[in-house]
Amino acid sequence: MIAWATLGSAVPKGRARAQTADWEAVVKAARGQTVYWHAWGGDPKINAFIDWVGGLATDRYGVDLVQVKLASTADAVARVLAEQQAGTTEGGAVDLIWINGENFAAMKAQGLLGAPFATQLPNWKFVDTKGKPATVTDFTEPTEGLESPWAMAQLVFEYDSAKLPEPPRTLDALADWVIANPGRFTYPQPPDYLGTTFLKQVLYGTMADPGAMQMPVDEATYQAQVSPLWAFLDRITPALWRQGKAYPTNEPALGQLLADGEITVSLAFNPGRASAEIAAGTLPDTIRTFTLEGGTIGNASFVAIPFNAAHREGAMVIANLLLDPEVQARAADPAVLGFQTVLDLSALPEPDRARFDALVLGPATLPPDRLGPALLEPDASWMTRVSQDWIARYGVAQ
């Protein structure tokens, strides 16, 4: 395994040349390696995409990619932890993990990740770290170069444009519309992830200092900070679908209400969901999406390299390939995955930007430059506490 010098983005020319030379050494060392990427294997489309990336890796770099299909990311974390406890400091079974959230935080806290690598990848310069801060902060945990992003998700509102030509663009406007149109809006009941994401979004729009959510809950100030959230919900709840006496259990149940015409405005965490459902014939072709002024909650999927990876150089080559504009554009294609890109499209050379411009996103999907900012996920303690309080205030309905 070769040594790797840590280099920042603002380096003198001499060091920039050294970075290039070091990357060339990485590519040389990676040739002939087989990278075992432990990744969730529950979606045939994603599995096919990983196979396609593997083909590129072989053709361009002589690196073979094997997907170890997981039911849960925690399985890979547990395997690396077991190796650490057994004293296996090199030659580990896991080269690369698809990871984010609490699994990343656990690996980082337990010293299961290798040296920082993400900012040293040649394609890192295209990552939109400013417009998409979730690419460098994973559920409030700074990534510090220990993982590299490869896909974005972001909250969008879905609506029937035949019934609502001009959707509300702020929380206040949404509340006014809900009250003026009783029964036409709802959200999944917490602790469902989409339901709690809606509560996070309301917190962002109502808290005096939303930045406080980047830290664990402070019991001394918690009640005052969330008071505007309850005021917002108290205001709209009587006008929700079924007067707020019942809630859909999850995103599919919420989507079905929209499909059946029972509600006019819905939510989704995949900005391309509505277009895919229109194409499948399960949503009316008048459904469109919008986001709120100031942005909506977003997060990123990452890849990380364990401390004892047997094929670290090959794993770095795969991580860099996942940031390649050609690969990102393919992932963004609704016919392939429909994932949101982690790249700053304005930073791309024109031929690469043209790949994204050429995508047919579908009638309901906003182009990347119209999604707006992706707001950071709060510390997990906020949703644990807010979900408990929501259940106490509004009950768990059927």
Side-chain angles (χ1 to χ4, degrees):
M1 183 178 296
I2 64 168
W4 183 263
T6 301
L7 299 175
S9 57
V11 294
K13 289 184 177 179
R15 296 193 70 190
R17 286 194 294 273
Q19 182 181 26
T20 301
D22 284 342
W23 181 251
E24 290 173 353
V26 169
V27 172
K28 182 177 180 181
R31 183 167 292 280
Q33 292 184 347
T34 297
V35 173
Y36 292 90
W37 182 6
H38 290 235
W40 179 65
D43 187 329
K45 293 191 298 183
I46 295 176
N47 297 339
F49 175 76
I50 291 175
D51 280 346
W52 177 80
V53 171
L56 279 186
T58 300
D59 292 344
R60 294 184 183 180
Y61 303 104
V63 175
D64 290 330
L65 178 62
V66 175
Q67 181 188 1
V68 180
K69 297 175 182 174
L70 302 175
S72 169
T73 304
D75 295 340
V77 178
R79 184 160 188 171
V80 178
L81 178 60
E83 290 178 346
Q84 183 196 53
Q85 293 173 340
T88 305
T89 58
E90 57 185 20
V94 181
D95 294 313
L96 196 66
I97 305 178
W98 176 4
I99 195 169
N100 72 345
E102 61 186 9
N103 287 303
F104 169 68
M107 292 195 77
K108 184 181 177 184
Q110 297 179 73
L112 298 178
L113 298 172
F117 70 96
T119 58
Q120 300 158 10
L121 303 175
N123 285 328
W124 178 262
K125 62 181 178 289
F126 298 132
V127 177
D128 188 3
T129 58
K130 184 172 295 184
K132 299 168 184 172
T135 55
V136 290
T137 302
D138 190 351
F139 282 69
T140 74
E141 186 69 36
T143 62
E144 298 178 339
L146 294 170
E147 58 180 0
S148 178
W150 70 284
M152 289 290 300
Q154 190 168 344
L155 179 69
V156 297
F157 292 80
E158 300 175 346
Y159 70 104
D160 190 337
S161 60
K163 301 174 181 174
L164 179 62
E166 291 295 330
R169 305 284 183 179
T170 66
L171 273 179
D172 285 342
L174 176 64
D176 291 343
W177 180 85
V178 169
I179 292 167
N181 297 272
R184 307 304 297 174
F185 176 76
T186 188
Y187 57 93
Q189 61 186 27
D192 170 78
Y193 84 94
L194 189 60
T196 57
T197 298
F198 176 67
L199 300 187
K200 297 173 196 176
Q201 189 67 47
V202 176
L203 281 171
Y204 258 107
T206 58
M207 281 179 66
D209 178 19
M213 289 191 289
Q214 294 304 301
M215 301 292 291
V217 165
D218 180 354
E219 291 297 336
T221 60
Y222 169 76
Q223 294 296 346
Q225 289 173 320
V226 301
S227 177
L229 165 69
W230 306 130
F232 179 93
L233 294 180
D234 286 348
R235 184 178 171 218
I236 68 168
T237 296
L240 294 178
W241 177 75
R242 296 191 178 178
Q243 298 83 47
K245 297 176 182 176
Y247 292 84
T249 55
N250 50 34
E251 183 169 359
L254 180 67
Q256 190 61 50
L257 293 179
L258 185 68
D260 293 342
E262 288 201 53
I263 59 175
T264 304
V265 178
S266 181
L267 315 166
F269 210 54
N270 176 1
R273 191 200 83 93
S275 289
E277 296 299 325
I278 291 171
T282 55
L283 275 182
D285 60 9
T286 52
I287 299 298
R288 297 292 184 269
T289 59
F290 69 95
T291 54
L292 298 180
E293 294 176 3
T296 51
I297 298 284
N299 63 41
S301 292
F302 295 87
V303 288
I305 303 174
F307 76 102
N308 63 348
H311 309 108
R312 177 175 173 82
E313 295 85 1
M316 291 175 68
V317 165
I318 298 298
N320 187 59
L321 194 55
L322 289 169
L323 295 177
D324 187 291
E326 178 186 357
V327 175
Q328 285 283 304
R330 184 174 177 85
D333 188 338
V336 180
L337 294 179
F339 284 1
Q340 302 301 302
T341 182
V342 300
L343 304 184
D344 177 1
L345 299 188
S346 67
L348 298 183
E350 183 53 37
D352 285 325
R353 176 166 178 119
R355 298 178 188 274
F356 291 88
D357 292 340
L359 291 176
V360 179
L361 298 179
T365 306
L366 296 172
D369 57 0
R370 289 182 53 201
L371 268 177
L375 303 176
L376 288 173
E377 292 276 3
D379 183 271
S381 61
W382 281 88
M383 280 308 104
T384 299
R385 185 64 189 277
V386 167
S387 292
Q388 293 170 347
D389 289 352
W390 185 92
I391 292 170
R393 294 177 71 92
Y394 302 103
V396 179
Q398 299 300 314

